């Protein structure tokens, strides 16, 4: 019975549509839970009142509700309606025929060339389909962050450069995928796995040298009192102080942040200058009036660094890398099982025997493996939230629980992050635990444990 279902294109089509609808309706249900929670909160939580005014809290609440309702409508339009019609009407088969018609010269009939044409048309279609939502999000949902005005021709130039760069990168990806499929056939997933591991290794090696110029400019820490505290902390846990970098970020609206990454001699703790009080300036005269007073005091910065050192001490980089590699291997194994199965292609409108490689990737990764991606994502998010709690406990063991609590409160207020969230929504979407839960855990540790 299962085998007959698996070989029937009509049944496969309805299964794909059903899975897509159920997955997105579940996402909408989670957002509705979040909306209900936000609707029932009318006042600033007591712990945040020293850092967040009532007017700003109400603005953040309105923005959160507006953005959530927009996400629901956009999901219904972009995925549930358009996605189901695309599958049912054989949109991908039609697009492949159109790409073949455009490739009218003989040398253009190679699958690599047709695949690039198909990908360009498909991306153009996605852009057109998303334009209403992009315009509404940009001009109707008022941002909480004030950005510097950009001259119109600079904006156009940036869009053109982004489009050209995206096209070049996408073309390389498409060519690689198609050539792997042609060369390795049903074992293309093994080639993808090897390439993914190679790309990951290159990124791990190069990122420590690229992260500083990409984010901004590395600057020395001029606050000698803070520098002394950081030196004492890093010496106590055995982390080299020279690997703690202060970055003067180009765009201050990126928010206050610090993070750890890397391994061995390539490990780094990066601190955005926006994390420091008044961006590390001795006075606030160099800053816009709305940025004066933002950032953390010295003890709070040290507490945040202690949290990041917890990620290093507990080997979260290695654990995360192992988790990513395992998830990638399982994904590609499932892909390898589905990729050569002809009825999947027939289900989306292709004639028997016609199995374009690039379409196979879109259908299998976009629809067939959707339940697996949803569940694996929840598992990975659960692990990352455990990492955050573990890093918080490390900061507590070194005496920074109280300072870390104050830092979390100040950061949420500075970064305009709405502090209230539904627990179920958080499980399915957030890499970090809710702020109020982290505060509660730190308070519990202080009450019930000794250093």
């Amino acid at each position: 019975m299962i085998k007959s279902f698996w070989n029937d294109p009509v049944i496969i089509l309805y299964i794909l549509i059903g899975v897509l609808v159920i997955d997105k309706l579940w996402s909408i249900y989670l957002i509705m839970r979040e909306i209900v929670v936000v609707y029932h909160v009318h006042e600033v939580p007591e712990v945040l009142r020293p850092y967040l005014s009532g007017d700003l809290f109400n603005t953040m609440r309105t923005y959160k509700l507006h953005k959530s309702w927009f996400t629901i409508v956009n999901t219904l339009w972009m995925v549930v309606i358009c996605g189901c019609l695309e599958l049912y009407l054989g949109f991908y088969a039609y697009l492949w025929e159109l790409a073949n018609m455009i490739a009218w010269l003989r040398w253009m009939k190679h699958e690599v060339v047709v695949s690039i044409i198909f990908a360009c048309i498909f991306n153009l279609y996605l852009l057109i389909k998303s334009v209403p939502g992009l315009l509404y999000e940009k001009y109707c949902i008022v941002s909480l962050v004030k950005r510097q005005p950009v001259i119109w021709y600079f904006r156009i130039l940036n869009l053109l450069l982004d489009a050209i760069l995206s096209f070049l990168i996408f073309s390389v990806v498409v060519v690689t995928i198609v050539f792997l499929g042609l060369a390795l056939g049903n074992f293309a997933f093994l080639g993808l796995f090897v390439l993914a591991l190679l790309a990951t290794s290159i990124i791990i090696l190069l990122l420590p040298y690229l992260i500083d110029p990409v984010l901004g400019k590395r600057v020395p820490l001029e606050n000698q009192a803070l520098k002394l505290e950081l030196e004492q902390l890093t010496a106590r846990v055995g982390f080299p102080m020279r690997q703690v970098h202060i970055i003067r970020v180009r765009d201050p609206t990126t928010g206050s942040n610090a993070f750890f990454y890397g391994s061995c001699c390539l490990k780094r703790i990066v601190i955005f200058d926006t994390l420091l009080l008044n961006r590390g300036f001795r006075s606030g005269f160099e800053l816009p009036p709305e940025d004066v007073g933002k950032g953390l005091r010295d003890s709070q910065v040290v507490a945040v660094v202690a949290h990041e050192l917890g990620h290093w001490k507990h080997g979260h980089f290695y654990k995360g890398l192992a988790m990513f590699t395992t998830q990638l291997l399982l994904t590609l194994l499932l892909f390898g099982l589905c990729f050569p199965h002809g009825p999947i292609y027939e289900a989306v409108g292709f004639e028997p025997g016609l199995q374009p490689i690039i379409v196979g990737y879109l259908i299998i990764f976009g629809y067939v493996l959707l339940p697996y991606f949803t569940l694996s994502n929840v598992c990975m998010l659960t692990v990352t939230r455990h990492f955050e709690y573990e890093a918080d406990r490390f900061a507590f063991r070194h005496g920074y629980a109280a300072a870390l609590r104050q830092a979390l409160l100040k950061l949420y207020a500075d970064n305009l992050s709405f502090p209230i969230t539904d627990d179920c929504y958080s499980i399915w979407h957030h890499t970090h635990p809710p702020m109020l839960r982290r505060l509660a855990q730190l308070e519990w540790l202080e009450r019930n444990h000794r250093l």
Side-chain angles (χ1 to χ4, degrees):
M1 181 69 71
I2 294 176
K3 187 175 181 180
S4 62
F5 283 174
W6 182 238
N7 290 321
D8 190 328
V10 176
I11 295 178
I12 291 175
L13 173 62
Y14 287 118
I15 289 175
L16 293 180
I17 293 175
V19 166
L20 177 65
V21 171
I22 292 171
D23 182 80
K24 297 311 171 186
L25 288 182
W26 174 252
S27 297
I28 291 173
Y29 165 73
L30 293 175
I31 299 173
M32 289 298 300
R33 288 179 59 102
E34 182 86 340
I35 289 173
V36 170
V37 169
V38 176
Y39 263 128
H40 284 85
V41 178
H42 301 283
E43 296 182 352
V44 184
E46 186 174 352
V47 293
L48 268 172
R49 287 175 187 170
Y51 307 94
L52 193 63
S53 67
D55 291 340
L56 183 55
F57 177 82
N58 289 329
T59 302
M60 293 164 60
R61 179 175 177 271
T62 302
Y63 173 83
K64 177 76 173 179
L65 291 171
H66 197 171
K67 190 71 179 286
S68 298
W69 282 115
F70 165 75
T71 303
I72 290 176
V73 173
N74 202 43
T75 300
L76 287 171
W77 162 249
M78 287 282 290
V79 181
V80 178
I81 296 177
C82 291
C84 292
L85 288 176
E86 288 162 7
L87 288 172
Y88 186 78
L89 298 177
F91 170 76
Y92 294 94
Y94 169 77
L95 217 60
W96 184 257
E97 290 181 9
L98 180 60
N100 273 285
M101 291 172 58
I102 294 174
W104 56 279
L105 294 176
R106 184 174 181 179
W107 65 271
M108 298 174 70
K109 294 298 182 181
H110 194 283
E111 186 168 353
V112 172
V113 179
V114 178
S115 297
I116 292 175
I117 296 173
F118 171 88
C120 291
I121 300 172
F122 183 66
N123 277 334
L124 180 61
Y125 164 74
L126 290 180
L127 177 62
I128 294 172
K129 186 172 71 170
S130 64
V131 162
L134 292 173
L135 291 176
Y136 184 86
E137 186 174 17
K138 183 171 182 61
Y139 295 105
C140 298
I141 301 180
V142 180
S143 175
L144 294 174
V145 179
K146 293 182 179 179
R147 299 185 180 275
Q148 295 294 329
V150 181
I151 303 174
W152 64 271
Y153 52 82
F154 276 125
R155 182 172 295 175
I156 293 175
L157 182 60
N158 285 334
L159 289 174
L160 288 174
L161 291 175
D162 287 343
I164 293 172
L165 185 60
S166 299
F167 172 76
L168 293 175
I169 294 174
F170 195 71
S171 297
V172 172
V173 172
V174 170
V175 169
T176 303
I177 286 173
V178 175
F179 270 123
L180 276 176
L182 294 174
L184 301 178
N186 295 341
F187 297 97
F189 70 96
L190 293 177
L192 278 178
F193 183 69
V194 173
L195 283 180
L197 291 183
L198 181 61
T200 303
S201 301
I202 292 173
I203 290 172
I204 291 173
L205 291 174
L206 293 182
L207 195 59
Y209 303 102
L210 296 178
I211 196 73
D212 293 1
V214 168
L215 292 176
K217 179 183 178 182
R218 185 182 176 188
V219 294
L221 181 58
E222 297 179 354
N223 186 333
Q224 295 302 315
L226 174 59
K227 185 176 181 180
L228 179 60
E229 287 190 66
L230 289 177
E231 287 175 344
Q232 292 172 346
L233 172 62
T234 53
R236 195 158 66 242
V237 300
F239 189 91
M241 180 62 189
R242 66 179 182 279
Q243 305 291 32
V244 179
H245 293 187
I246 310 294
I247 302 297
R248 181 83 66 198
V249 294
R250 293 190 180 90
D251 183 7
T253 61
T254 52
S256 305
N257 196 15
F259 58 89
F260 165 80
Y261 69 93
S263 61
C264 303
C265 60
L266 299 177
K267 57 183 175 287
R268 299 280 192 279
I269 289 179
V270 173
I271 302 173
F272 289 5
D273 67 324
T274 48
L275 190 74
L276 308 179
L277 185 63
N278 293 326
R279 298 190 67 183
F281 294 115
R282 298 192 178 187
S283 66
F285 296 115
E286 301 91 337
L287 300 173
E290 62 270 15
D291 290 340
V292 175
K294 286 188 175 182
L296 305 180
R297 298 193 304 272
D298 291 356
S299 60
Q300 296 167 352
V301 173
V302 177
V304 171
V305 173
H307 170 90
E308 299 305 325
L309 286 169
H311 288 303
W312 164 70
K313 200 70 174 179
H314 288 290
H316 291 165
F317 176 82
Y318 299 105
K319 294 174 183 177
L321 188 61
M323 180 173 62
F324 164 76
T325 305
T326 303
Q327 197 265 354
L328 176 65
L329 181 59
L330 290 174
T331 300
L332 293 178
L333 285 174
L334 291 173
F335 171 80
L337 291 174
C338 300
F339 180 65
H341 193 59
I344 292 177
Y345 299 83
E346 295 174 37
V348 296
F350 287 92
E351 298 177 359
L354 181 58
Q355 298 178 200
I357 294 171
I358 190 66
V359 176
Y361 278 76
L362 289 174
I363 298 301
I364 293 169
F365 284 123
Y367 298 100
V368 178
L369 297 183
L370 192 58
Y372 166 74
F373 285 143
T374 301
L375 295 176
S376 65
N377 183 60
V378 172
C379 294
M380 294 179 74
L381 290 177
T382 301
V383 173
T384 60
R385 287 193 298 273
H386 171 73
F387 287 169
E388 295 303 318
Y389 282 130
E390 204 168 30
D392 284 348
R393 287 194 293 271
F394 181 86
F396 156 75
R397 287 196 296 270
H398 286 80
Y400 294 104
L404 184 58
R405 285 205 321 272
Q406 298 301 316
L408 289 173
L409 290 166
K410 188 67 163 58
L411 287 175
Y412 267 78
D414 286 352
N415 292 335
L416 303 178
S417 301
F418 195 75
I420 311 298
T421 187
D422 175 69
D423 288 339
C424 190
Y425 179 89
S426 178
I427 288 172
W428 287 76
H429 289 88
H430 293 161
T431 59
H432 287 57
M435 183 265 289
L436 296 179
R437 286 193 174 275
R438 291 180 69 182
L439 294 177
Q441 190 216 30
L442 288 168
E443 291 177 358
W444 181 85
L445 287 171
E446 286 189 296
R447 285 197 310 267
N448 297 281
H449 294 77
R450 293 182 179 180
L451 294 179

